[in-house]
């Protein structure tokens, strides 16, 4: 992966490979908001959704919700144990 493909604002390992702007574009195209992702993940705090999308957290419930809603895995920078799960 090239240096240009690394999220310089992310703070955690796999989050550095996350593509927040592509995730947000995908959400916009699907008419989804962070509240919708939080509801799908079964959590109340939208802040963890934001932190996860931006790469500052690796909340597995949020990542699973995004994946199940159809967000391309290549945008998510998933931890190794979540890659390719169906």
């Amino acid at each position: 992966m090239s240096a240009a493909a690394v999220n310089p604002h992310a703070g955690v390992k796999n989050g550095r490979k996350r593509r927040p702007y592509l995730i947000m574009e995908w959400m916009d195209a699907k008419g989804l908001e962070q509240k919708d992702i939080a509801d799908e993940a079964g959590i109340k705090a939208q802040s963890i959704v934001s932190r996860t999308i931006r790469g500052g957290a690796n909340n597995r419930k949020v990542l699973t919700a995004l994946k199940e809603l159809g967000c391309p895995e290549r945008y998510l920078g998933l931890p190794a144990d979540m890659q390719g799960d169906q």
Side-chain angles (χ1 to χ4, degrees):
M1 180 166 273
S2 70
V6 173
N7 179 356
H9 306 291
V12 294
K13 294 177 185 176
N14 290 95
R16 293 188 60 76
K17 295 178 183 173
R18 198 152 301 137
R19 308 301 295 233
Y21 297 105
L22 294 175
I23 295 169
M24 290 185 275
E25 283 180 1
W26 171 83
M27 287 173 57
D28 188 48
K30 297 292 183 184
L32 295 170
E33 298 179 353
Q34 290 182 12
K35 177 189 172 301
D36 302 317
I37 306 302
D39 290 345
E40 178 72 20
I43 59 175
K44 294 183 182 182
Q46 291 180 38
S47 61
I48 193 67
V49 174
S50 176
R51 287 185 53 227
T52 300
I53 289 171
R54 295 186 186 284
N58 269 331
N59 186 285
R60 290 172 183 276
K61 288 182 179 181
V62 172
L63 292 171
T64 299
L66 285 165
K67 189 174 160 183
E68 287 178 354
L69 288 168
C71 186
E73 285 189 35
R74 65 184 180 275
Y75 298 172
L76 298 175
L78 294 171
D81 64 327
M82 289 184 73
Q83 294 175 7
D85 291 350
Q86 295 298 329

